[in-house]
Amino acid sequence: MILIDALYINNGGGKILLDYLIESIEKSDLEVRYLLDSRIHKKHHIILNNRVDYLVASLINRHKFYKKVAMSLDVVFCFGNLPPSFKLNAKVYTYFHQKLFAIRPSSLPFLFKIKL
């Protein structure tokens, strides 16, 4: 099963991309489960077969969810800069919205580099 983890996406450009992704996936026959922010409940494209879990966005809630479903996952797509909190026996892809999280220019002040 594929998990689309978009727990921290609830507005702006990320929400627009998430809506497009959900709409495209729902047209396919993929076995997908969604982990979404409770703030967007009923504010996105219709998801069939109750394959969606809404949580209050927090690291603890997310960690508990992964503990519960870890064995049933084959692929995880994290759509909000943050990979799972522990190693999964699945392929994990993390979409970074901001390239500063992955590539830090040398011209940044030292304290700013530490914050990133």
Side-chain angles (χ1 to χ4, degrees):
M1 179 185 340
I2 300 169
L3 174 69
I4 305 297
D5 177 355
L7 186 59
Y8 298 100
I9 306 298
N10 59 58
N11 61 24
K15 173 70 170 60
I16 292 168
L17 290 174
L18 177 62
D19 289 342
Y20 181 73
L21 179 65
I22 291 172
E23 182 179 348
S24 298
I25 288 173
E26 288 301 307
K27 291 177 184 174
S28 73
D29 60 345
L30 294 172
E31 184 182 351
V32 178
R33 184 173 185 168
Y34 301 92
L35 176 60
L36 301 177
D37 194 316
S38 62
R39 292 174 283 188
I40 65 167
H41 186 68
K42 297 183 180 180
K43 295 180 183 174
H44 53 75
H45 189 77
I46 295 171
I47 297 173
L48 304 174
N49 301 326
N50 295 321
R51 300 177 302 175
V52 62
D53 294 282
Y54 295 99
L55 295 177
V56 174
S58 78
L59 292 174
I60 293 171
N61 288 342
R62 187 170 181 255
H63 182 80
K64 288 177 184 177
F65 174 82
Y66 273 106
K67 283 287 189 188
K68 185 174 74 173
V69 301
M71 300 310 288
S72 65
L73 301 175
D74 298 315
V75 177
V76 177
F77 179 65
C78 298
F79 192 65
N81 298 327
L82 194 61
S85 56
F86 59 93
K87 185 164 176 56
L88 297 173
N89 192 20
K91 287 194 178 262
V92 176
Y93 299 95
T94 303
Y95 175 74
F96 286 103
H97 297 294
Q98 177 57 269
K99 76 176 188 176
L100 278 177
F101 294 137
I103 302 168
R104 290 182 233 133
S106 59
S107 62
L108 291 176
F110 178 72
L111 290 177
F112 192 71
K113 287 181 187 178
I114 291 174
K115 287 178 186 178
L116 288 177

